[in-house]
Amino acid sequence: MNEMAKLSGFEHIEHIDIPLPKEASKELFFQTDEDDERVWMPISDNVHIRPLLFNVVQGTWCNIVKAQGEGLVGRHRHPAPVLGYTLEGTWGYLEGDWIGRAGSFIYEPAGETHTLVVHPDEGHMKVLFHNMGPILYVDEKGEQTGYEDVFTRIAMYKKHCISNGLGEEFVDNLCR
Ligand code: FE
């Protein structure tokens, strides 16, 4: 392994086939089917995501995150900004001083580290997020424990959709 690979930490990331978008410049429009539970992929206990767009040109993605009860997304760092719009419920970050409620908007600048939790006021949350870049999972000392980007998300969601019958094409159709 060369020095650059060691410095970048690239050796920790499994090889992933980068899907070339067949119709990168084509608009993406669809009606979500709220009753189809298969579209929701579990990412931790009581937390599910519903991907809407995987932008493989920009390395960004859009998804709805829903969680309930003790649902928590472990401490992570965003090297690129995140935008969020609360659709339902109450939520926040352990590190934050606000409560997200239906209709609230958040812009998180690059460099933010936080732990997402459901706020007990309503006990559940549903938020539309636009992630402008990868997610680096970190422990309390800031040491990296995990990594996600648009390509790992596509790979995860393909596995999920193949196993539940929606199929790989369902995910390809969300890629631009
Ligand atoms: Fe986050």
Side-chain angles (χ1 to χ4, degrees):
M1 183 179 305
N2 66 34
E3 277 310 301
M4 191 59 89
K6 279 183 203 158
L7 284 174
S8 69
F10 188 74
E11 70 274 21
H12 300 304
I13 302 164
E14 287 174 38
H15 174 75
I16 293 162
D17 284 323
I18 295 176
L20 292 173
K22 283 175 237 156
E23 295 168 316
S25 61
K26 194 181 166 194
E27 98 178 348
L28 174 63
F29 175 84
F30 59 94
Q31 183 67 46
T32 61
D33 180 357
E34 292 284 321
D35 295 328
D36 190 347
E37 286 299 317
R38 297 177 301 172
V39 302
W40 293 97
M41 174 170 70
I43 57 164
S44 61
D45 289 344
N46 294 316
V47 183
H48 289 76
I49 61 168
R50 197 278 189 234
L52 298 171
L53 164 70
F54 295 113
N55 189 322
V56 299
V57 176
Q58 296 182 316
T60 66
W61 69 91
C62 250
N63 62 192
I64 301 172
V65 176
K66 71 173 180 182
Q68 54 194 6
E70 304 290 301
L72 176 150
V73 179
R75 190 168 147 85
H76 58 273
R77 179 175 168 83
H78 293 282
V82 178
L83 309 176
Y85 182 80
T86 307
L87 302 168
E88 291 175 14
T90 49
W91 67 287
Y93 296 127
L94 289 181
E95 300 81 357
D97 57 1
W98 45 261
I99 301 170
R101 297 179 186 281
S104 65
F105 174 77
I106 174 117
Y107 167 73
E108 303 164 36
E112 283 263 308
T113 299
H114 51 226
T115 312
L116 185 155
V117 287
V118 176
H119 190 277
D121 253 22
E122 295 199 28
H124 65 96
M125 59 81 89
K126 195 187 261 189
V127 177
L128 172 66
F129 282 113
H130 189 181
N131 284 64
M132 304 295 193
I135 297 174
L136 311 180
Y137 290 93
V138 293
D139 63 18
E140 58 290 336
K141 290 180 196 150
E143 295 290 331
Q144 190 175 327
T145 57
Y147 173 91
E148 284 191 296
D149 63 18
V150 70
F151 304 110
T152 64
R153 280 286 171 104
I154 288 170
M156 267 171 78
Y157 200 46
K158 280 195 171 178
K159 208 171 161 185
H160 175 76
C161 290
I162 288 168
S163 74
N164 67 22
L166 280 173
E168 194 170 0
E169 198 181 330
F170 182 82
V171 184
D172 287 331
N173 287 336
L174 302 178
C175 294
R176 286 294 184 273

